[in-house]
Amino acid sequence: MNSKGKIGVLLVNLGTPDSPGRYDVYRYLKQFLLDKRVIDIPWIFRQLLVRGFIAPFRSGSSGKLYQKLWTENGSPLKYYGELLASGVQDQLGSEYIVELAMRYQNPSIQSAIDKLNKRNINELIVVPLFPHYASASTGSVHEEVMRIVGKQLAIPNVKFINSFYDNEDLVNVFVKNARKFDLDSYDHILFSYHGLPQSQLKKTDNCNHCLQSEGCCNTISEKNQFCYSAQCHATAHLIAGKLGLDRSRYTICYQSRLGPDPWVQPYTIKVIEELANNGAKRLLAFSPAFVSDCLETIIEISDEYQEEFEEWGGEKMDLVPSLNDDPEWISGVVKMIKKEAEVVV
């Protein structure tokens, strides 16, 4: 370990409102959706769309969903983030300083970096808590960190973790959680990821590979190494392989679509409808895009999709819990950080 200073670790998740109240939800939606990497249209149109329509009109309905999500510990995403940061700090020891931040709202990236700088760190390791690279998530965190650090006169050595879609500990925890269910009792299994507009996938493609052929995301290659969808497929195949699932038993799909433009397909809700129409009664869903359970898992899948499934004749849609504060996951994050710091585990 370098004796000249400690290593700062910045764990960053997407964000959450400070409360489920409409005003706090409005502030969160506004900051989130005004990010040019999230809605990548010209500035003036993004301002009109978000400030004039989406944030004012969605804050009420979204607030009701957050009220259903909220617990005595607050937002699950923030709560599990705090447990993760505490666990990582305990395992790394006093030579590291770990801070949790949110890309949107609190604790902010600025406030977390300020805390780290006050401790005189000589190196900063940034860990966006998104297993799969996307410009709208990991890319946005990287840009914001560089914007903040770039204003400092003294800039420490900065390292970024880009993605960890094939992380063994991540896969193992999802497999362990899945084995708590009777897999043979389900008619089909879904790997449901957060969606992205197809246009964003194409913009990260420098090889004219994206969406040019059927199944272009099925395997990772030099051409699609930064493809969000290809990384999602890789995670699903790794989990399914350890569970011994035949390819016919599971579908990789995408949820949380926003707006009229085409997003990555197939859409989860359409897959659920088709399965129900074909007689499926029991479904099991993974949501490996998220390292902690949140609105998109607890409410969207376990509540909203369950309700839709029942309306189409289905009976039960279960959700495999996310990584949350699982000790094996915490150890996995520690391993990633030590590898980045070039410390032998």
Side-chain angles (χ1 to χ4, degrees), residues 88-105:
V88 170
Q89 180 68 79
D90 288 344
Q91 290 194 29
L92 286 175
S94 61
E95 294 178 313
Y96 293 79
I97 305 169
V98 180
E99 291 289 342
L100 173 70
M102 299 293 167
R103 175 60 185 90
Y104 312 105
Q105 294 305 290

Side-chain angles (χ1 to χ4, degrees), residues 274-293:
E274 182 178 347
L275 289 168
N277 289 338
N278 288 332
K281 297 299 182 183
R282 289 173 53 81
L283 302 178
L284 181 66
F286 291 82
S287 194
F290 305 99
V291 299
S292 63
D293 283 312

